[in-house]
Amino acid sequence: DADVTQTPRNRITKTGKRIMLECSQTKGHDRMYWYRQDPGLGLRLIYYSFDVKDINKGEISDGYSVSRQAQAKFSLSLESAIPNQTALYFCATQPPGQETQYFGPGTRLLVL
Amino acid sequence: LAKTTQPISMDSYEGQEVNITCSHNNIATNDYITWYQQFPSQGPRFIIQGYKTKVTNEVASLFIPADRKSSTLSLPRVSLSDTAVYYCLVGLSSSGSARQLTFGSGTQLTVLP
């Protein structure tokens, strides 16, 4: 869905490096989410935000941090990347009062 | 957490009806059931959502028994382009904690010619 964009789409980094993944949306949704997906597994929730001043940990937040700079932007940071953080990362948005989430195209991250 | 269980994979032929069942024994009173479709290297896409009984839209139907401990996604007359992974998601997000959202491991549906 072009309304939710993620940058970069692909990234290779080295162990110990700091890296930021960015998500932007033009849908005007207040809720935003970060998930990771590992091969053969479903999506696991890392962090979520219901508003600019609201940040919440998900199921697997250790090793990650987030920033909600504006309603339209939600960034995910890996302070010191490690190889087991190699995964496909998805950002999603959700309008208020609805259960449906709208996903971005994903960022494929490889940590060497 | 309302954990979900789905078959890992299913095969079908073009033109057949496909039913994918998801078990969610620990579903909470306010939880909704949502199904998503995911193609390789793409984000999941919403298919259908329900709370109880039956829901139908232009692409699928969702059947939920009275005890709500399972749900069945029904795809009528599948085509090759329906080959994808299908996820069942159970949880409360619009008014509760998203921490409760749980994606299952998904069902790989392969439609054969």
Side-chain angles (χ1 to χ4, degrees), chain B residues 76-104:
Chain B
R77 297 182 296 282
V78 293
S79 65
L80 297 177
S81 62
D82 292 317
T83 293
V85 178
Y86 292 82
Y87 291 99
C88 164
L89 174 63
V90 175
L92 176 68
S93 63
S94 65
S95 59
S97 170
R99 192 183 181 91
Q100 300 175 30
L101 291 176
T102 304
F103 273 86

Side-chain angles (χ1 to χ4, degrees), chain B residues 10-15 18 78-80 82-83 109-113:
Chain B
M10 296 181 67
D11 292 341
S12 181
Y13 291 95
E14 280 190 290
V18 171
V78 293
S79 65
L80 297 177
D82 292 317
T83 293
L109 172 65
T110 302
V111 180
L112 305 170

